[in-house]
Amino acid sequence: MLPHLTVRKEVLGHRVAAAETREASAGTLLPDAAEPVREPQAERRVVVRAVNLGKVFTSSFTARKKWAVRGLNLEVFEKEVFGFLGPNGAGKTTTIKLLLGLLRPTYGSIEIFGTGPASPASRAQVGFLPENPSFYDYLKLGEFLRLCASLSGLRRRREVERRVAESLFVSGLIDHEDVQMRKFSKGMLQRAGLAQALVNNPRLLILDEPMSGLDPIGRKEFRDSIVRARENGMTVFFSSHIIADVELLCDRVGIINNGVLEKSGPIGELVQQEVRSVEIVARDVAEQAAVQLEPFVEERRTVGDAVVLRLRDELATTLVLGTLASSGARILSVTPHKETLESVFVRQVTRSSLSRASGADGTLPGEGRKKRVFRREWSRL
Amino acid sequence: MKVLAIARNTFREALRDKALYVIVVFSLVLLVSTRILSPLALGEGVKITKDVGLSALSFFGILAIIVMGAGLVHKEIDRKTILVILSKPVARHEFILGKFLGMADALAALVVVMLVTLEVVLLLSGRGPDLPVLKAGFLTFVELLVMTSIAVLFSSFSSTGMSAVFTFAFYVVGHFSSDMLVFAARLQSSFARQVCQFLYYVMPDLELFNARAIVVHGGDIPDERMLAATAYGLLYTMGVLVLSAVIFSRKDFK
């Protein structure tokens, strides 16, 4: 009936990349990022819990206070991939450092596997890859991984060797064990970082901007590693400002902006799944058919010798396609448009920036109240 | 176990640092040169060798501490390697202790190499082996431990350059701190007297570890002096390390 019909892959090219990632992961099919196979949340164990977390940095010279994180509530469940999305300087790294006990919270509480970050025991089952990691460049990779293994509490030599070999294998650096790390490229350093994070076979993997600065191949390899980690039963928490990566990999997403967690939940909940519009590209459309279809078409334009029709909803599509086909038109493509995480992200970040600009500024609670009252009174005058 | 792993890594870093070798080579050249120059010393050659050898131990030891020890903790913060270490189940005080022990290890290696060379030189000139020289060398090592702990303390909250300056200042003042008590006794104002006394007790009394004058002239260091100086040095070191650990455990790593 429709010989030239090609249904374009939804949204953008990265969906195709998603399919590749799944193929690469040892032939196992991943649940779709948008529709994760999840148990009911109530029964799932919480791995990371942050309640009303806040962090203020005080400048040592001017004593000016700046909120890095404000009133953040966060829950990460066992065996899920949680994406922490936010623009640069939003407070992603600060939150991660708070979780790991590298920073002390100004207020609020954190639990990792039920233990506070002040206790080193909370990090026993955690692997962490910092942003732009740098390691001891005088060490060979093997020496470094052995050091990390001992610091993670592995005692027996055989166990250390086994874990080091395994993490070298997983990170694809098995041939570089005896190379000094000063000779590593950026991509290799990132993989070395992954190897050290995996050396204690952690149950929770925290990755800070793992894909930034990597080339496309490096990014794909890293995505595969995250998928593999999750298949091995690890919980993965990673921050990123690359939306495509988050959309591909994550079960749940948290969007942070200016230190505030604006939204969090499964991608499926954040992004409206229904098709918002459908675009049909056809050639040789008879004038009569065009007139007949007018009530269903929201926008019509001509590109070269093809006609692009934008329909308001999915329901009209079958009807329009049927009419076009029977009138002898050649249909080139049909593209459903859904809302993307990117549009949710951009909307959220812009909205909160706007609301900040119109009054709710980044001052301490109470500190800005006088200023706001004054401003309100002033505007009344 | 974790402390030892950090110590081993710090030791390895020191061994792979060219600065340590430069220091060792310089001090050995200095030591051997005293023998070459001994005909000029009118029969006092051995005394000069002992004096220069033991002084070099203290001087090059403190140089090693300033070059390598002053950045001991701060360099890790600067290069962000600290994020990798402290994100493992490692307590902050374990890190401080490990860093200290690693540096102490490297200094011990330096002291052993220099003392062995000194003894060999003395043997070759027919005046060895000299046990008091070894005892004086040990006291210098305890002094270096005290200075290492001070370097770790400063390094845990200030930059490498600043902590090098502070450490050196402590070294200089530490050698004159007993004068502070003498000075205090002559002061009129009781407040100034108390300040001087306070400074004396806070600053390390490094002259306690200086037994060169006795050893050079062929005397032996009394056991009580050895014991008292060692105990004082170790207690002072422990106190400074506890303080470093407390400061370090409150630190934020931005």
Side-chain angles (χ1 to χ4, degrees):
Chain A
M1 282 285 279
L2 305 169
H4 300 292
L5 180 72
T6 51
V7 178
R8 252 193 262 156
K9 281 273 179 188
E10 31 172 359
V11 202
L12 291 167
H14 57 247
R15 282 282 171 192
V16 183
E20 283 169 18
T21 312
R22 278 165 216 151
E23 278 159 25
S25 58
T28 40
L29 198 69
L30 252 189
D32 195 296
E35 301 155 277
V37 179
R38 279 177 290 113
E39 303 150 36
Q41 277 184 13
E43 293 165 25
R44 304 179 76 204
R45 247 190 91 190
V46 175
V47 173
V48 178
R49 173 176 281 136
V51 181
N52 195 25
L53 196 60
K55 178 70 188 171
V56 178
F57 288 122
T58 312
S59 159
S60 45
F61 287 113
T62 57
R64 234 185 103 184
K65 292 187 163 123
K66 186 181 179 300
W67 284 94
V69 172
R70 273 184 297 179
L72 186 119
N73 291 305
L74 193 69
E75 271 184 340
V76 179
F77 297 99
E78 199 171 28
K79 294 179 185 172
E80 75 176 0
V81 179
F82 188 92
F84 202 37
L85 197 57
N88 290 329
K92 301 189 293 286
T93 302
T94 304
T95 309
I96 287 178
K97 284 182 176 173
L98 286 166
L99 297 180
L100 290 163
L102 294 166
L103 294 173
R104 297 188 316 156
T106 309
Y107 61 75
S109 70
I110 302 169
E111 277 179 17
I112 311 273
F113 295 112
T115 317
S119 151
S122 70
R123 295 184 287 277
Q125 293 176 318
V126 177
F128 170 55
L129 168 66
E131 184 181 8
N132 298 324
S134 84
F135 309 115
Y136 302 103
D137 51 8
Y138 55 89
L139 285 187
K140 293 173 183 165
L141 178 62
E143 292 171 338
F144 175 63
L145 291 180
R146 276 176 204 100
L147 166 70
C148 291
S150 332
L151 293 182
S152 305
L154 300 182
R155 281 162 188 271
R156 272 179 296 169
R157 205 180 164 78
R158 266 175 77 183
E159 207 183 345
V160 170
E161 291 304 321
R162 192 175 58 83
R163 287 302 316 156
V164 167
E166 211 170 302
S167 52
L168 279 171
F169 177 74
V170 171
S171 55
L173 287 171
I174 204 129
D175 297 331
H176 297 83
E177 188 183 346
D178 292 322
V179 180
Q180 265 196 342
M181 287 166 66
R182 71 173 85 232
K183 294 173 187 154
F184 277 17
S185 68
K186 161 113 194 163
M188 279 163 81
L189 274 180
Q190 203 78 1
R191 279 193 277 164
L194 183 70
Q196 63 82 25
L198 290 172
V199 82
N200 58 338
N201 199 16
R203 281 167 62 202
L204 168 65
L205 202 54
I206 298 181
L207 312 168
D208 192 2
E209 302 275 359
M211 259 101 56
S212 70
L214 291 183
D215 61 18
I217 295 172
R219 271 177 62 182
K220 185 181 174 311
E221 282 174 358
F222 228 94
R223 281 203 300 263
D224 293 347
S225 310
I226 293 178
V227 169
R228 219 175 296 134
R230 171 218 169 102
E231 278 169 3
N232 290 335
M234 288 180 204
T235 308
V236 184
F237 178 97
F238 81 96
S239 76
S240 183
H241 56 248
I242 305 170
I243 297 165
D245 292 333
V246 172
E247 199 167 20
L248 270 177
L249 295 166
C250 297
D251 302 320
R252 290 198 314 131
V253 180
I255 296 178
I256 185 172
N257 186 33
N258 202 36
V260 178
L261 193 70
E262 305 266 356
K263 256 185 173 185
S264 90
I267 290 199
E269 279 176 25
L270 293 187
V271 181
Q272 286 175 354
Q273 283 303 293
E274 72 266 25
V275 175
R276 305 184 110 201
S277 66
V278 178
E279 206 174 74
I280 299 173
V281 184
R283 207 184 277 172
D284 309 333
V285 180
E287 196 51 43
Q288 194 196 348
V291 174
Q292 205 177 337
L293 291 175
E294 211 150 88
F296 306 102
V297 177
E298 197 173 52
E299 189 192 319
R300 178 190 163 167
R301 62 180 199 275
T302 316
V303 179
D305 55 352
V307 178
V308 181
L309 305 172
R310 201 154 66 83
L311 314 183
R312 212 165 296 143
D313 55 46
E314 245 174 338
L315 296 172
T317 314
T318 325
L319 192 112
V320 172
L321 283 177
T323 314
L324 284 174
S326 58
S327 72
R330 288 171 63 204
I331 292 160
L332 302 179
S333 73
V334 179
T335 315
H337 285 292
K338 286 184 184 176
E339 185 178 37
T340 59
L341 186 58
E342 180 164 324
S343 51
V344 174
F345 176 70
V346 171
R347 195 174 57 224
Q348 198 64 45
V349 169
T350 341
R351 188 189 297 160
S352 60
S353 309
L354 281 176
S355 70
R356 248 198 333 282
S358 65
D361 49 6
T363 44
L364 291 166
E367 201 180 77
R369 203 174 298 144
K370 271 188 200 161
K371 218 189 278 178
R372 278 201 295 276
V373 169
F374 173 75
R375 205 180 288 163
R376 202 167 49 227
E377 295 303 318
W378 180 254
S379 63
R380 252 187 228 164
L381 293 172
Chain B
M1 191 62 194
K2 290 171 192 166
V3 173
L4 289 185
I6 294 170
R8 211 177 307 132
N9 183 41
T10 311
F11 181 63
R12 202 178 274 160
E13 181 179 8
L15 284 197
R16 292 182 189 176
D17 196 333
K18 283 176 196 130
L20 188 69
Y21 294 99
V22 174
I23 288 171
V24 169
V25 168
F26 254 98
S27 55
L28 296 186
V29 167
L30 189 70
L31 209 56
V32 174
S33 68
T34 60
R35 286 316 296 154
I36 297 167
L37 297 173
S38 70
L40 299 174
L42 306 168
E44 301 285 321
V46 172
K47 278 186 191 168
I48 291 181
T49 305
K50 282 191 203 172
D51 202 3
V52 169
L54 289 172
S55 303
L57 198 61
S58 176
F59 176 75
F60 285 107
I62 196 72
L63 196 66
I65 290 171
I66 285 171
V67 172
M68 296 187 296
L72 214 51
V73 178
H74 193 264
K75 209 160 64 185
E76 299 242 5
I77 301 172
D78 228 23
R79 292 188 188 163
K80 294 187 178 171
T81 44
I82 191 101
L83 301 182
V84 177
I85 302 300
L86 291 184
S87 63
K88 308 261 180 262
V90 176
R92 304 259 177 116
H93 67 264
E94 288 176 319
F95 180 79
I96 289 287
L97 194 58
K99 285 308 255 183
F100 170 78
L101 288 179
M103 187 67 207
D105 252 12
L107 287 172
L110 180 76
V111 167
V112 165
V113 169
M114 285 175 69
L115 280 182
V116 166
T117 319
L118 182 57
E119 286 290 338
V120 169
V121 172
L122 288 176
L123 261 177
L124 290 179
S125 35
R127 295 290 185 88
D130 195 328
L131 187 65
V133 165
L134 291 185
K135 284 162 96 176
F138 176 77
L139 283 188
T140 305
F141 176 63
V142 178
E143 177 188 2
L144 294 180
L145 289 186
V146 171
M147 289 315 300
T148 306
S149 69
I150 290 170
V152 168
L153 171 68
F154 286 124
S155 179
S156 66
F157 65 83
S158 68
S159 71
T160 307
M162 288 304 277
S163 70
V165 171
F166 283 138
T167 307
F168 188 67
F170 259 64
Y171 178 71
V172 174
V173 175
H175 276 285
F176 296 106
S177 62
S178 51
D179 294 347
M180 209 89 78
L181 276 186
V182 181
F183 184 56
R186 292 186 182 177
L187 284 171
Q188 297 289 321
S189 139
S190 76
F191 174 72
R193 213 162 36 234
Q194 277 167 356
V195 168
C196 278
Q197 275 168 354
F198 173 75
L199 280 177
Y200 170 73
Y201 287 115
V202 168
M203 292 286 186
D205 187 353
L206 298 179
E207 274 302 306
L208 273 180
F209 307 109
N210 183 2
R212 283 193 292 274
I214 306 173
V215 173
V216 167
H217 294 100
D220 196 3
I221 309 168
D223 288 344
E224 304 85 71
R225 166 96 187 259
M226 287 295 290
L227 214 69
T230 309
Y232 169 76
L234 294 184
L235 279 175
Y236 193 93
T237 303
M238 274 193 266
V240 176
L241 284 180
V242 167
L243 186 63
S244 318
V246 169
I247 291 174
F248 193 66
S249 61
R250 301 173 63 85
K251 199 171 172 65
D252 271 352
F253 300 103
K254 282 189 202 172

